[in-house]
Every structure is written in structure tokens, then in C-alpha cells.
Amino acid sequence: MLRLRFAPSPTGYLHVGNARTALFNWLMARGSGGTFIVRVEDTDAERSTAESEQSILDDLRWLGLTWDEGPDAGGPHVPYRQSERLDLYRAHATRLLAEGRAYRCFCSPEQLELDRQSALTAGQPVRYVGRCRQIGPADAEHRVASGERAAIRFRVPESRDVLFEDAVRGTVRFSTDVIGDLVIQRSDGTPAYNFAVVIDDAKMAVTHVIRGEDHISNTPRQLLLYEAFGYTPPRFAHLSMVLGPDHTKLSKRHGATSVAEFRAKGYLPEALANYLALVGWSPSGGGRHGGGATREQTAQDHDTELMSLAEMAKRFSIRDVSLSAGVFDEEKLAWVNRHYLREADPARIADLAVDVWNRTGVPMNPDADGRSYLASVMPIATGSVDRLDQFPTRLAFLFEFDPEQALEDPQVSAEMSTAGAMAVARAFAAAAANGPRLDRDRFRALVNEVKGGTGQKGKALFHPIRLLLTARADGPELDLAVPALDRGAELPASAGVPPILGCRERAALFLRVLDARASGSA
Ligand code: GLU
């Protein structure tokens, strides 16, 4: 049974590149009926924070990447936080010391920095010079007993090749000659990443490690440690980086990079997960050519690219992950998001939209009636926007109606002062005043009546009506907007939705403003 893990360091937010790493591990675990583990790598006490851990776990949960074993979920290999496993690492370091495979290193940080500088000046690879290699164990223990601080270094065998089969990159070969003896335990007693990760992956029986290619040079070091302990290493797959549009590593310079930021911008979790999977994975089995998802694809490609997590898990194969780096294309993400916005249950979208309104200065607390009303108007926005944060603007016509302000626009006031537009406005207002609230059919009938009465048609008919009812020169189709306004006007205050002015009230108000302006300027 496959066991895969995601091992975040809680030193910041979850970057979308790391989210993709988590996703690929999750897909491989779920697709094979295996186990997905979250392990928190928090041995860097200075940079790790509980808030960061919390936010990373929240983001994973939000994306739908549930785990079977982890810091909160527990599991057969507790604890799942490295800071709670220090005894295990120390015991392993002690074992390597006893076997002569590791030694104490007394070099000070200043000394190591000097070594680094001289290697750089001499144009040589930076690696530990081996100064403490020859200190005998008895000597070393004596110095430690008398209070000297020492790190523990692993003795890297000289002049050997370390080989491994990377599931994405094929055979990878490193010579140990470029690898200096590595610190496995720092002088403060905490384990180094390369050490803790090996012990944990081995003890947690991890079978496959999918991670970023920034870790590829760590892998030979880790393999040497597996060998020293006699542990079976997992299979490795190193993913190419996620790049920005300018083909440099996706970073702050490119805008949003964290899952939390994309969430706040109004992307749905299923859209972000689906899109991230496509950055580097070609589900059609196209293999190792493409550089990630581009927009120049056929409609058919698009159909096969839109997948739920469950479907992706069924289809995922690490063999279909591309060796070339994937470019993060926010326009394509927006396209995927539009699809999911349209597919989603309007009630769910309405709840999310309420959060956005509340965050952006339109406070509301809808009850069941209010929520079902809002759900009914969601299609007006889902058909035409990319993201949830665009909903308030798209739907602002519901809660805002300001003819004075609209008429400040010279184009609007010029249009509304033509005889034709005035005739349409008066006829519409008069007919609406006496009739019932408008649904789509009644609205169409009323428009026909106005058309017959005024002789106006097309834009000359519809545009004045749009201005009259929304005080905006453009917006959603009136067929949708008008019934939404008139249903909103019938909501009781207790529905918890900001007041919505109905069409007849709007038309009357607009005319009053027009008349006042006309008499004012007369
Ligand atoms: N804590 C490491 C990181 O966040 C994990 C690397 C690995 O997967 O081994 O980069």
C-alpha cells in the first residue's frame, strides 16, 4: 500500500507551488487507495510558528486535501510534528556516533564562514573541509563533557556515485566528492532537515516522496543516510518549479503566490486545485513534452482538463508529469474558476458572496428567505465574472440606485433629455406604477406596451429603460436584472438583505429627479 506525505515547514503561508506538491502526493495516495500523511517540519524553532502551521493546515483542508495521519489526526506513527520527535533523532545521531559513521564538529560559525569564503575565492565547491574528522571519539566526548558546543556531522564516503531513479527525471547521479560531511545535529541539539526527514520517512514507512526540484541535491545526502541506517529509501519524484509569466520562479513580484491570497481573491478551492494539477501534469497522458497548461488548446482538451479531485485521483500518474517547468497562468485559472462558479450550487456561491459583501462594506446577515433570494440572483454574476470578489460590483445595481449621480455623466444626461428617451421613461414609469411586480414575462409585455406607445425600438427603447431602472449605462441583461430587483423589493427587512428598491419605485424616482433638474435649469 502506498504511503505519501506532505511535509511543510511552518515558516510562512502555503505557496501555490507547495500546494501543488501536496496535491500530487495526495492524488497519488488517493488514486491508489493509499495513505496521505501530513508531517510538520518545525525543527527551525526561530522561524516556525503555530499560526503558520494552522494556516497551512487550513489551506490544505480548504483545497480538499484531507489527510489520514497528521498532527491533529493522529495515526500509528505519532507524533507528526518534528519538534516532538527530538529524542528519536538524538538516538539516531548517537547510534551513528557509536558506529563511527558520524563525528563531533567543534568548528565555530565564524570559522565555517571563513572556509566558505576561501572556497569561493579559490573557485572551489563549498563543502566542509573536514577539520574535525580526525578528532578521536574519546577526545571529543571529553571536550563536550567540559562544556564545548559541538554539532554532529555525518561522514560522507569519498569518491562514490550515488544514483537514484527519479520518477520524473529518470536516472540522477551525484558524486560524493561534491558533498561535504553534513551536519545531522546542530550544536543546539536540534536535527538538520536532511537527517530528520530520513528518520521520519523511514519510520513512517513512506513509500513515495514527491517534492520540489529544489530538494534534488538533498536526495543523495538522504540516500547515504538511509544506507547508513539500513533503511529502505522511498521512490523519489522531483517536480519542476512553478514559474511566473516571465519564466522566473513564481514569487511575490508576480503578485499573489499563496493559497490564502487566491482564496481571498475569490477563487473556488476546486478551481485552484484543478488548475494547479494542470501546471505540470497532462492528464491525457501526453507525457513529457508540454510546459504546463497553456491557453492554446482545443475545446476538447478543455473538457478533459476540468476534473474534480476524485476524478484527478483516478487519472493521476506521476509518469504524466512534465519535466519542463510549468508556468502559472492566472488567466487560465480564471477560466477554470468561471467553469466552477457556473457549476456550483448557487446557495453555496451565495454564502461565499455574502462573505465578500461583508468584507467590502455591504454588511448583511441574511436569513433563510434572504439566502434563497441571493441564491436566485447568483446566476446574474456567475455567467459573467471570473472571481467571487467581482460579485459586489456586478451585483451593485441591486443595492445602489442613484439617478442624481448617473445624470452627472454628460452622456447620460444628454441621452435622457432627448424626446424619445423621455417618452420611453414616462411611458414605462406610468405602466409600471399601476401594474404588479415584474417577472420576466410581465417585463417583456410592459416593454412591448412602451414600444407600441412611443414608437421607439432597439437601443433607443432599451437603453433609457436600463438607465431608468439601474441608473447605470451598462450591466446585466434586463431580463435577469428586472425580476431580480422586483423580487428583492418584496423581501421583508427581516430577510437580512440590504433594502432593494423595486422597478416602479426606481422609475418614479428617476423621473422626479429628471423633472427637478428640468425645472431647475428652466
Ligand atoms: N520541509 C521541507 C520543505 O518544506 C520538506 C521537503 C521534503 O518534502 O522532503 O521544503
Side-chain angles (χ1 to χ4, degrees):
M1 186 156 92
L2 305 194
R3 291 176 57 82
L4 292 101
R5 52 52 166 196
F6 178 56
S9 303
T11 55
Y13 292 109
L14 182 62
H15 186 280
V16 286
N18 289 335
R20 183 190 61 159
T21 299
L23 174 62
F24 283 5
N25 281 287
W26 187 93
L27 291 173
M28 190 160 174
R30 290 288 176 263
S32 65
T35 301
F36 181 59
I37 305 161
V38 170
R39 180 177 70 233
V40 176
E41 305 210 321
D42 59 348
T43 58
D44 183 344
E46 245 162 62
R47 295 177 57 227
S48 301
T49 67
E51 298 77 61
S52 163
E53 175 183 318
Q54 197 53 53
S55 77
I56 290 170
L57 297 184
D58 285 348
D59 288 344
L60 290 174
R61 238 179 253 119
W62 177 74
L63 281 169
L65 307 184
T66 50
W67 50 98
D68 310 299
E69 300 173 23
D72 50 350
H77 303 284
V78 283
Y80 288 88
R81 215 177 260 121
Q82 288 190 327
S83 58
E84 295 164 16
R85 298 168 66 83
L86 298 179
D87 288 346
L88 183 70
Y89 311 130
R90 287 191 193 128
H92 277 75
T94 307
R95 179 179 148 192
L96 292 184
L97 274 180
E99 293 171 357
R101 293 174 187 272
Y103 59 91
R104 303 234 188 229
C105 173
F106 298 90
C107 295
S108 66
E110 296 75 26
Q111 181 66 64
L112 295 171
E113 180 53 27
L114 286 177
D115 292 348
R116 206 178 74 88
Q117 292 299 341
S118 21
L120 288 176
T121 320
Q124 273 159 9
V126 176
R127 55 179 201 141
Y128 180 57
V129 297
R131 191 175 296 106
C132 295
R133 243 184 179 223
Q134 312 310 337
I135 301 173
D139 243 13
E141 291 319 308
H142 184 75
R143 287 173 69 174
V144 169
S146 61
E148 265 192 79
R149 284 166 70 84
I152 300 176
R153 282 189 191 271
F154 178 65
R155 216 182 272 281
V156 171
E158 274 164 66
S159 302
R160 258 188 55 192
D161 274 354
V162 182
L163 288 173
F164 64 96
E165 275 312 304
D166 188 289
V168 173
R169 326 182 95 72
T171 307
V172 179
R173 179 192 303 266
F174 278 91
S175 162
T176 59
D177 287 340
V178 298
I179 306 176
D181 291 349
L182 52 131
V183 169
I184 54 175
Q185 185 175 298
R186 302 185 195 99
S187 59
D188 65 1
T190 58
Y193 155 72
N194 275 316
F195 189 57
V197 78
V198 165
I199 295 163
D200 287 343
D201 284 339
K203 291 286 168 198
M204 295 178 181
V206 168
T207 59
H208 294 72
V209 168
I210 303 176
R211 61 186 173 199
E213 74 176 341
D214 48 335
H215 282 290
I216 200 156
S217 63
N218 286 320
T219 304
R221 292 164 168 82
Q222 294 173 16
L223 286 167
L224 290 167
L225 288 165
Y226 278 101
E227 185 186 281
F229 288 121
Y231 292 150
T232 311
R235 303 282 317 269
F236 290 97
H238 290 91
L239 304 174
S240 298
M241 294 284 101
V242 177
L243 305 181
D246 60 354
H247 289 247
T248 63
K249 195 175 164 202
L250 184 69
S251 73
K252 282 274 154 242
R253 284 183 302 113
H254 299 108
T257 54
S258 71
V259 169
E261 285 169 297
F262 285 102
R263 175 185 189 166
K265 276 177 99 169
Y267 290 104
L268 295 175
E270 60 268 45
L272 187 58
N274 191 159
Y275 175 68
L276 280 178
L278 301 175
V279 182
W281 173 47
S282 315
S284 44
R288 296 164 190 273
H289 43 80
T294 65
R295 262 166 293 135
E296 293 104 44
Q297 286 152 322
T298 65
Q300 197 188 0
D301 277 344
H302 279 156
D303 286 346
T304 64
E305 286 182 318
L306 294 167
M307 290 166 286
S308 66
L309 279 176
E311 199 185 329
M312 288 196 279
K314 233 187 288 165
R315 291 173 61 184
F316 184 77
S317 162
I318 193 75
R319 281 191 305 276
D320 296 331
V321 170
S322 168
L323 184 55
S324 42
V327 174
F328 192 92
D329 174 357
E330 194 166 342
E331 271 185 55
K332 172 129 185 193
L333 169 61
W335 173 80
V336 175
N337 203 48
R338 277 201 300 280
H339 165 79
Y340 286 105
L341 281 173
R342 278 193 302 266
E343 292 277 295
D345 174 5
R348 171 183 165 222
I349 299 299
D351 286 347
L352 294 170
V354 167
D355 291 342
V356 181
W357 269 310
N358 276 317
R359 265 192 282 131
T360 54
V362 187
M364 62 180 83
N365 182 20
D367 70 356
D369 285 344
R371 291 174 69 207
S372 81
Y373 168 73
L374 291 173
S376 77
V377 301
M378 286 301 116
I380 298 177
T382 51
S384 59
V385 301
D386 291 341
R387 306 188 307 264
L388 285 163
D389 66 348
Q390 296 163 333
F391 276 48
T393 304
R394 186 67 180 162
L395 297 175
F397 75 94
L398 291 173
F399 309 121
E400 292 168 11
F401 181 68
D402 191 342
E404 301 268 9
Q405 200 199 359
L407 290 163
E408 292 300 309
D409 179 339
Q411 241 179 311
V412 171
S413 70
E415 179 179 348
M416 287 313 284
S417 52
T418 62
M422 276 311 283
V424 169
R426 286 196 199 287
F428 190 98
N434 304 320
R437 291 280 178 207
L438 302 174
D439 60 15
R440 199 177 63 162
D441 290 343
R442 270 185 234 120
F443 172 62
R444 286 187 175 176
L446 202 149
V447 170
N448 268 330
E449 209 178 294
V450 172
K451 185 178 177 182
T454 62
Q456 303 293 320
K457 55 182 198 285
K459 188 155 186 258
L461 172 68
F462 281 97
H463 207 251
I465 296 178
R466 173 176 295 287
L467 286 168
L468 194 69
L469 300 182
T470 67
R472 287 156 200 268
D474 37 42
E477 258 177 79
L478 288 174
D479 264 0
L480 298 175
V482 165
L485 287 170
D486 269 6
R487 271 184 292 114
E490 293 290 297
L491 279 176
S494 60
V497 170
I500 295 172
L501 209 54
C503 289
R504 58 175 178 249
E505 292 82 359
R506 287 176 176 227
L509 179 59
F510 205 112
L511 272 186
R512 271 205 305 282
V513 172
L514 275 176
D515 288 343
R517 285 171 69 105
S519 65
S521 64

PDB file of all heavy atoms in Angstrom, residues 427 445-457 461:
ATOM      1  N   ALA A 427     -43.570  56.631 -20.238  1.00  0.00           N
ATOM      2  CA  ALA A 427     -44.497  55.532 -20.528  1.00  0.00           C
ATOM      3  C   ALA A 427     -44.196  54.338 -19.626  1.00  0.00           C
ATOM      4  O   ALA A 427     -45.101  53.714 -19.073  1.00  0.00           O
ATOM      5  CB  ALA A 427     -44.381  55.137 -22.002  1.00  0.00           C
ATOM      6  N   ALA A 445     -43.797  42.120 -21.579  1.00  0.00           N
ATOM      7  CA  ALA A 445     -45.081  42.652 -22.029  1.00  0.00           C
ATOM      8  C   ALA A 445     -45.094  44.173 -21.875  1.00  0.00           C
ATOM      9  O   ALA A 445     -45.550  44.914 -22.764  1.00  0.00           O
ATOM     10  CB  ALA A 445     -46.222  42.017 -21.223  1.00  0.00           C
ATOM     11  N   LEU A 446     -44.538  44.615 -20.748  1.00  0.00           N
ATOM     12  CA  LEU A 446     -44.528  46.055 -20.487  1.00  0.00           C
ATOM     13  C   LEU A 446     -43.654  46.794 -21.506  1.00  0.00           C
ATOM     14  O   LEU A 446     -44.003  47.873 -21.998  1.00  0.00           O
ATOM     15  CB  LEU A 446     -44.018  46.260 -19.057  1.00  0.00           C
ATOM     16  CG  LEU A 446     -44.396  47.563 -18.373  1.00  0.00           C
ATOM     17  CD1 LEU A 446     -44.511  47.327 -16.867  1.00  0.00           C
ATOM     18  CD2 LEU A 446     -43.353  48.602 -18.647  1.00  0.00           C
ATOM     19  N   VAL A 447     -42.523  46.183 -21.815  1.00  0.00           N
ATOM     20  CA  VAL A 447     -41.637  46.802 -22.807  1.00  0.00           C
ATOM     21  C   VAL A 447     -42.356  46.909 -24.149  1.00  0.00           C
ATOM     22  O   VAL A 447     -42.275  47.942 -24.838  1.00  0.00           O
ATOM     23  CB  VAL A 447     -40.320  45.995 -22.940  1.00  0.00           C
ATOM     24  CG1 VAL A 447     -39.499  46.502 -24.139  1.00  0.00           C
ATOM     25  CG2 VAL A 447     -39.503  46.086 -21.664  1.00  0.00           C
ATOM     26  N   ASN A 448     -43.105  45.875 -24.492  1.00  0.00           N
ATOM     27  CA  ASN A 448     -43.855  45.912 -25.755  1.00  0.00           C
ATOM     28  C   ASN A 448     -44.892  47.024 -25.773  1.00  0.00           C
ATOM     29  O   ASN A 448     -45.088  47.694 -26.793  1.00  0.00           O
ATOM     30  CB  ASN A 448     -44.541  44.573 -26.005  1.00  0.00           C
ATOM     31  CG  ASN A 448     -43.638  43.679 -26.833  1.00  0.00           C
ATOM     32  OD1 ASN A 448     -42.846  44.185 -27.642  1.00  0.00           O
ATOM     33  ND2 ASN A 448     -43.732  42.387 -26.614  1.00  0.00           N
ATOM     34  N   GLU A 449     -45.530  47.171 -24.640  1.00  0.00           N
ATOM     35  CA  GLU A 449     -46.522  48.240 -24.497  1.00  0.00           C
ATOM     36  C   GLU A 449     -45.855  49.601 -24.728  1.00  0.00           C
ATOM     37  O   GLU A 449     -46.358  50.445 -25.480  1.00  0.00           O
ATOM     38  CB  GLU A 449     -47.045  48.174 -23.061  1.00  0.00           C
ATOM     39  CG  GLU A 449     -48.452  48.654 -22.825  1.00  0.00           C
ATOM     40  CD  GLU A 449     -48.806  48.466 -21.359  1.00  0.00           C
ATOM     41  OE1 GLU A 449     -48.880  47.293 -20.900  1.00  0.00           O
ATOM     42  OE2 GLU A 449     -48.951  49.493 -20.657  1.00  0.00           O
ATOM     43  N   VAL A 450     -44.698  49.797 -24.091  1.00  0.00           N
ATOM     44  CA  VAL A 450     -43.974  51.062 -24.219  1.00  0.00           C
ATOM     45  C   VAL A 450     -43.531  51.267 -25.664  1.00  0.00           C
ATOM     46  O   VAL A 450     -43.610  52.375 -26.212  1.00  0.00           O
ATOM     47  CB  VAL A 450     -42.758  51.100 -23.248  1.00  0.00           C
ATOM     48  CG1 VAL A 450     -41.891  52.324 -23.505  1.00  0.00           C
ATOM     49  CG2 VAL A 450     -43.237  51.049 -21.805  1.00  0.00           C
ATOM     50  N   LYS A 451     -43.101  50.181 -26.270  1.00  0.00           N
ATOM     51  CA  LYS A 451     -42.666  50.241 -27.660  1.00  0.00           C
ATOM     52  C   LYS A 451     -43.828  50.720 -28.548  1.00  0.00           C
ATOM     53  O   LYS A 451     -43.674  51.630 -29.372  1.00  0.00           O
ATOM     54  CB  LYS A 451     -42.214  48.844 -28.084  1.00  0.00           C
ATOM     55  CG  LYS A 451     -41.635  48.740 -29.453  1.00  0.00           C
ATOM     56  CD  LYS A 451     -41.209  47.277 -29.680  1.00  0.00           C
ATOM     57  CE  LYS A 451     -40.690  47.085 -31.081  1.00  0.00           C
ATOM     58  NZ  LYS A 451     -40.329  45.666 -31.306  1.00  0.00           N
ATOM     59  N   GLY A 452     -45.008  50.082 -28.351  1.00  0.00           N
ATOM     60  CA  GLY A 452     -46.179  50.449 -29.124  1.00  0.00           C
ATOM     61  C   GLY A 452     -46.574  51.904 -28.910  1.00  0.00           C
ATOM     62  O   GLY A 452     -46.866  52.636 -29.860  1.00  0.00           O
ATOM     63  N   GLY A 453     -46.512  52.314 -27.645  1.00  0.00           N
ATOM     64  CA  GLY A 453     -46.964  53.659 -27.303  1.00  0.00           C
ATOM     65  C   GLY A 453     -46.015  54.750 -27.767  1.00  0.00           C
ATOM     66  O   GLY A 453     -46.452  55.880 -28.050  1.00  0.00           O
ATOM     67  N   THR A 454     -44.723  54.445 -27.848  1.00  0.00           N
ATOM     68  CA  THR A 454     -43.748  55.513 -28.133  1.00  0.00           C
ATOM     69  C   THR A 454     -43.139  55.403 -29.523  1.00  0.00           C
ATOM     70  O   THR A 454     -42.500  56.343 -29.995  1.00  0.00           O
ATOM     71  CB  THR A 454     -42.570  55.473 -27.136  1.00  0.00           C
ATOM     72  OG1 THR A 454     -41.902  54.208 -27.282  1.00  0.00           O
ATOM     73  CG2 THR A 454     -43.055  55.651 -25.703  1.00  0.00           C
ATOM     74  N   GLY A 455     -43.250  54.250 -30.131  1.00  0.00           N
ATOM     75  CA  GLY A 455     -42.633  54.054 -31.433  1.00  0.00           C
ATOM     76  C   GLY A 455     -41.110  53.859 -31.360  1.00  0.00           C
ATOM     77  O   GLY A 455     -40.452  53.744 -32.368  1.00  0.00           O
ATOM     78  N   GLN A 456     -40.557  53.828 -30.142  1.00  0.00           N
ATOM     79  CA  GLN A 456     -39.104  53.611 -30.005  1.00  0.00           C
ATOM     80  C   GLN A 456     -38.822  52.111 -30.064  1.00  0.00           C
ATOM     81  O   GLN A 456     -39.639  51.300 -29.634  1.00  0.00           O
ATOM     82  CB  GLN A 456     -38.598  54.165 -28.674  1.00  0.00           C
ATOM     83  CG  GLN A 456     -38.871  55.638 -28.444  1.00  0.00           C
ATOM     84  CD  GLN A 456     -38.070  56.517 -29.406  1.00  0.00           C
ATOM     85  OE1 GLN A 456     -36.912  56.257 -29.690  1.00  0.00           O
ATOM     86  NE2 GLN A 456     -38.712  57.560 -29.929  1.00  0.00           N
ATOM     87  N   LYS A 457     -37.618  51.779 -30.583  1.00  0.00           N
ATOM     88  CA  LYS A 457     -37.275  50.361 -30.567  1.00  0.00           C
ATOM     89  C   LYS A 457     -35.753  50.192 -30.443  1.00  0.00           C
ATOM     90  O   LYS A 457     -34.996  51.172 -30.518  1.00  0.00           O
ATOM     91  CB  LYS A 457     -37.814  49.663 -31.808  1.00  0.00           C
ATOM     92  CG  LYS A 457     -37.386  50.288 -33.132  1.00  0.00           C
ATOM     93  CD  LYS A 457     -38.051  49.505 -34.278  1.00  0.00           C
ATOM     94  CE  LYS A 457     -37.387  49.727 -35.605  1.00  0.00           C
ATOM     95  NZ  LYS A 457     -37.606  50.972 -36.292  1.00  0.00           N
ATOM     96  N   LEU A 461     -35.017  52.139 -27.234  1.00  0.00           N
ATOM     97  CA  LEU A 461     -36.051  51.702 -26.304  1.00  0.00           C
ATOM     98  C   LEU A 461     -35.416  51.162 -25.016  1.00  0.00           C
ATOM     99  O   LEU A 461     -35.774  51.539 -23.897  1.00  0.00           O
ATOM    100  CB  LEU A 461     -36.893  50.612 -26.985  1.00  0.00           C
ATOM    101  CG  LEU A 461     -37.923  49.878 -26.134  1.00  0.00           C
ATOM    102  CD1 LEU A 461     -39.050  50.834 -25.726  1.00  0.00           C
ATOM    103  CD2 LEU A 461     -38.526  48.698 -26.937  1.00  0.00           C
TER     104      LEU A 461
END
